[in-house]
Amino acid sequence: MLHRFLRGCLSYSVSKRRRKYGGVTALVSGRHFRVWSPCSFPDSVNLTATVVQDQTPLRVAVMSAAAPGTSKAAHSDVAPKRKKGPGALATAYLVIYNVVMTAGWLVIAVGLVRAYLARGSYHGLYYSIEKPLKFFQTGAILEILHCAVGIVPSSVVLTGFQVMSRVFLTWAVTHSVREVQSEDSVLLFVTAWTVTEIIRYSFYTFSLLNHLPFLIKWARYTFFFVLYPMGVTGELLTIYAALPYVQKTGLYSVTLPNKYNFSFDYYTFLILIMISYIPLFPQLYFHMIRQRKKVLGHVEDYSKVE
Amino acid sequence: MWHMSVEILDAKTKDKLCFLDKVRTYFFSSYPQWYPARQSIRLDPKGKSLKDEDVLQHLPVGTTATFYFRDLGAQISWVTVFLTEYTGPLVIYLMFYFRVPFIYAPKYDFTTSKHWVVHLACMCHSFHYVKRLLETLFVHRFSHGTMPLRNIFKNCTYYWGFAAWMAYYINHPLYTPPIYGEQQIRLALIVFLFCQIGNFSIHVALRNLRPPGSKTRKIPYPTKNPFTWIFLLVSCPNYTYELGSWLGFTLMTQCLPVAFFTLVGFIQMTVWAKGKHRSYLKEFRDYPPLRSPILPFVL
């Protein structure tokens, strides 16, 4: 009851001031709301309301902090959180890792080009790079470990998801269903992956060595415009091509009855995977576009120095 | 970044205490879109939220207190979430048990399984969720009134999804009963019932630590009830007993999806138990050192 009485007093005082003065919009935790000002300070806003509690006045003053520049100074007593980078040993290891991966994907790229020149057609190029593709794509699982241990600042879940989806396509679709290995869609995603990974691993290498050429940064945040859709198309077409063979042979499927009372239909599972691309691909694509604006956006203001 | 600072200035020093829930009420009256449950008031922009029971005069502030506000988003009460997420599995499992149409082949509609373990499993599963619903209504004393609204969708998907997945196989016409037959089922039932009673005993013991309507926290100790003696070795024996119940149910049904559900639940409960154990250690200097979070001596 006391609360309601107080609330009534407070809102009465507030509404009195609302009618008297204009409004200023402030942003708090991402949400806009209006604060009414009895004074005309441009940088801070003051609202004073009088609340009567047992006849003893308690002044409640509501102030918004000043502009972002000054508020940082005011809160300087809050110790800034310093981001812990990897130590010297971890950096050396990561440089070696990224160099090896760049080299590996370059081998795959060269292998593709040489095979194409030798055969004269796009058909069946998968076989010429099958082993290095499996080795280096599977090797990317180490990246999940890097995030888990903390030497790379990315999220374990996100990295895990990305790597496992690649590994899934390499082993559980392309390797397992022999009939799709001669499909052109395989070449489509292998090419997309190869170009992406060469750029990505060299980006990481140069970043770790603090000598990132602008060209690599630009390439990383621009090539994806074409490579992402290209890769996704290749992946989806490959899974789609594998479906009839999976259904016919019952690959990786378990039926009832069995003593574990469990069943799994790989055919339905693959269809669900294909459907999952619909919500996931746009999210990843637009995330990269946002990253691009953040990373490359400011360049338009200055001239390129590198 | 903009911050909203609320300054409470005493015009006159007085002995009357000002609880923080009053601050929330004042704030709510100015900004009606932010009801008290969704206000996070803290002394530091990146700090922990203050509680309603905190008293203004006892906070580390001088004559001028500066609070920072953060919107927690739409909130929903814990009781509502619990009731919804537990009623789902109860109803869904029974739908599979009675073989409602469109689940299995039409010739099986509304038939019953010929295996008695399937009937037993239905009784155990239903008993478990009825017990949970009754505990939510009459036993539990919640520290927080509300949680974020999106939790209800997440939690219900988890409980309802797993219940449907398990129930589908247990009540399937092609269900295979446990290999070791009656012995296995009997042992599993004993384990299940033992852990259900244990889990209930712990919930009652925790409730009795807390006077009605309060949110005090105390170290739980073993009582006269033998099922609570596990407090000597474990901080969160309610989770230990819950794991035991589901292991019993897995053994009873010999069903892989049930084993998955038990595993996922165990992982989540371990995370919670470790957190609770850590907060007990932080809050109480004299916390018994022998206790582990969830599994005696192990985890």
Side-chain angles (χ1 to χ4, degrees):
Chain A
M1 273 144 312
L2 185 62
H3 286 174
R4 260 183 244 130
F5 170 68
L6 292 170
R7 194 193 298 172
C9 290
L10 182 60
S11 55
Y12 174 71
S13 309
V14 169
S15 58
K16 244 191 356 187
R17 274 158 181 76
R18 262 181 219 175
R19 279 184 254 121
K20 234 180 158 180
Y21 302 99
V24 165
T25 309
L27 191 69
V28 171
S29 301
R31 290 187 190 297
H32 289 271
F33 63 95
R34 296 189 80 69
V35 179
W36 282 267
S37 163
C39 28
S40 53
F41 284 46
D43 287 342
S44 77
V45 175
N46 240 302
L47 164 70
T48 310
T50 312
V51 177
V52 177
Q53 179 178 357
D54 289 346
Q55 318 234 332
T56 315
L58 243 188
R59 232 172 79 226
V60 177
V62 171
M63 297 199 305
S64 69
T70 53
S71 74
K72 275 207 187 98
H75 306 143
S76 59
D77 55 323
V78 176
K81 245 184 154 160
R82 272 205 305 165
K83 232 182 166 180
K84 262 201 313 190
L89 186 65
T91 311
Y93 161 75
L94 285 173
V95 169
I96 295 172
Y97 172 80
N98 285 302
V99 165
V100 166
M101 293 305 257
T102 314
W105 286 95
L106 277 166
V107 162
I108 297 171
V110 165
L112 282 172
V113 171
R114 283 180 62 177
Y116 171 66
L117 291 173
R119 285 177 214 230
S121 91
Y122 294 114
H123 198 69
L125 291 183
Y126 169 77
Y127 298 105
S128 50
I129 43 87
E130 183 178 359
K131 285 210 184 3
L133 174 71
K134 284 179 180 169
F135 181 79
F136 287 101
Q137 186 59 80
T138 314
I141 292 180
L142 282 174
E143 285 167 48
I144 308 175
L145 206 68
H146 298 163
C147 295
V149 167
I151 55 180
V152 169
S154 304
S155 136
V156 177
V157 171
L158 213 59
T159 311
F161 182 78
Q162 289 171 320
V163 171
M164 291 321 287
S165 73
R166 287 281 190 90
V167 168
F168 174 79
L169 232 111
T170 308
W171 288 100
V173 181
T174 315
H175 166 80
S176 304
V177 187
R178 264 171 230 296
E179 294 85 348
V180 305
Q181 288 168 3
S182 50
E183 294 275 334
D184 290 341
S185 54
V186 173
L187 179 65
L188 197 61
F189 75 73
V190 168
T191 313
W193 289 3
T194 308
V195 179
T196 307
E197 298 300 68
I198 293 173
I199 298 173
R200 186 167 73 94
Y201 284 117
S202 47
F203 175 90
Y204 290 149
T205 312
F206 288 118
S207 299
L208 283 164
L209 297 171
N210 284 315
H211 279 289
L212 181 64
F214 178 76
L215 183 67
I216 304 278
K217 186 158 74 169
W218 179 86
R220 184 182 185 208
Y221 286 103
T222 308
F223 280 28
F224 78 89
F225 273 120
V226 170
L227 292 176
Y228 253 47
M230 194 170 131
V232 164
T233 311
E235 291 170 26
L236 284 174
L237 285 173
T238 309
I239 299 176
Y240 185 72
L243 287 177
Y245 301 105
V246 169
Q247 192 173 44
K248 195 169 60 175
T249 61
L251 181 68
Y252 298 146
S253 301
V254 176
T255 54
L256 289 175
N258 60 72
K259 65 179 171 179
Y260 299 113
N261 291 305
F262 177 70
S263 69
F264 180 70
D265 185 20
Y266 193 47
Y267 175 80
T268 315
F269 182 71
L270 284 177
I271 293 181
L272 290 173
I273 295 268
M274 287 177 74
I275 295 175
S276 74
Y277 273 72
I278 298 176
L280 291 174
F281 167 68
Q283 284 190 35
L284 292 169
Y285 200 58
F286 289 122
H287 171 73
M288 281 304 279
I289 294 179
R290 277 196 299 272
Q291 288 294 98
R292 180 174 202 270
K293 278 208 187 83
K294 241 193 348 182
V295 171
L296 298 180
H298 62 282
V299 175
E300 283 133 31
D301 301 335
Y302 316 116
S303 54
K304 280 187 269 192
V305 178
E306 276 134 334
Chain B
M1 192 174 131
W2 291 87
H3 293 294
M4 168 53 60
S5 305
V6 175
E7 279 204 328
I8 308 220
L9 309 165
D10 275 334
K12 195 164 99 173
T13 329
K14 32 189 248 291
D15 288 314
K16 198 91 26 95
L17 299 172
C18 178
F19 284 95
L20 229 67
D21 57 353
K22 289 209 183 126
V23 176
R24 299 217 171 145
T25 316
Y26 298 159
F27 199 81
F28 172 53
S29 38
S30 311
Y31 307 106
Q33 70 271 32
W34 290 319
Y35 42 86
R38 101 186 245 182
Q39 297 172 24
S40 170
I41 307 279
R42 32 183 80 178
L43 288 173
D44 176 70
K46 295 199 175 76
K48 261 186 83 185
S49 186
L50 296 171
K51 303 189 194 41
D52 279 348
E53 309 79 61
D54 287 338
V55 169
L56 189 57
Q57 276 84 340
H58 297 164
L59 292 172
V61 295
T63 49
T64 310
T66 303
F67 297 115
Y68 294 91
F69 160 78
R70 192 182 176 81
D71 179 23
L72 294 173
Q75 298 283 302
I76 186 167
S77 83
W78 273 63
V79 174
T80 311
V81 175
F82 270 37
L83 292 178
T84 321
E85 67 189 15
Y86 296 154
T87 310
L90 189 63
V91 169
I92 289 171
Y93 192 101
L94 289 171
M95 281 170 53
F96 282 87
Y97 175 75
F98 290 117
R99 294 193 182 148
V100 153
F102 299 104
I103 300 177
Y104 305 111
K107 67 176 175 181
Y108 295 114
D109 289 349
F110 296 118
T111 56
T112 50
S113 174
K114 59 178 187 257
H115 307 288
W116 69 274
V117 66
V118 172
H119 308 298
L120 182 65
C122 180
M123 285 189 271
C124 288
H125 189 269
S126 307
F127 170 78
H128 178 78
Y129 281 101
V130 167
K131 169 180 154 294
R132 284 213 201 184
L133 285 167
L134 292 174
E135 281 172 345
T136 305
L137 291 169
F138 302 114
V139 178
H140 292 316
R141 293 218 166 103
F142 296 99
S143 304
H144 305 283
T146 64
M147 62 167 86
L149 183 64
R150 79 186 80 90
N151 274 17
I152 194 173
F153 302 109
K154 195 168 50 109
N155 292 9
C156 285
T157 307
Y158 170 78
Y159 277 104
W160 298 17
F162 261 116
W165 196 37
M166 294 192 296
Y168 174 77
Y169 288 107
I170 300 172
N171 299 294
H172 200 283
L174 297 176
Y175 171 76
T176 311
I179 311 178
Y180 296 108
E182 197 140 322
Q183 279 182 321
Q184 186 173 337
I185 299 170
R186 200 175 297 137
L187 173 65
L189 181 62
I190 293 171
V191 168
F192 179 80
L193 287 175
F194 183 88
C195 291
Q196 290 288 285
I197 300 171
N199 181 259
F200 179 71
S201 308
I202 302 298
H203 286 156
V204 168
L206 289 173
R207 170 199 171 83
N208 291 336
L209 283 183
R210 200 173 250 187
S214 83
K215 293 182 191 170
T216 53
R217 273 203 308 281
K218 301 208 287 245
I219 304 178
Y221 283 107
T223 66
K224 289 204 185 68
N225 183 345
F227 286 98
T228 62
W229 295 351
I230 192 176
F231 269 122
L232 290 168
L233 298 173
V234 170
S235 289
C236 302
N238 48 322
Y239 295 141
T240 318
Y241 281 123
E242 184 71 17
L243 172 67
S245 300
W246 286 108
L247 282 173
F249 193 69
T250 310
L251 196 65
M252 190 191 299
T253 55
Q254 200 172 292
C255 179
L256 198 57
V258 180
F260 277 133
F261 178 66
T262 309
L263 179 67
V264 175
F266 173 58
I267 293 172
Q268 176 66 83
M269 288 192 291
T270 305
V271 170
W272 288 336
K274 280 187 182 273
K276 189 107 193 98
H277 185 75
R278 214 175 304 130
S279 66
Y280 273 145
L281 288 173
K282 247 202 308 195
E283 191 167 344
F284 302 110
R285 300 267 149 218
D286 56 337
Y287 194 73
L290 194 61
R291 294 190 190 183
S292 312
I294 186 171
L295 292 179
F297 309 114
V298 171
L299 200 58

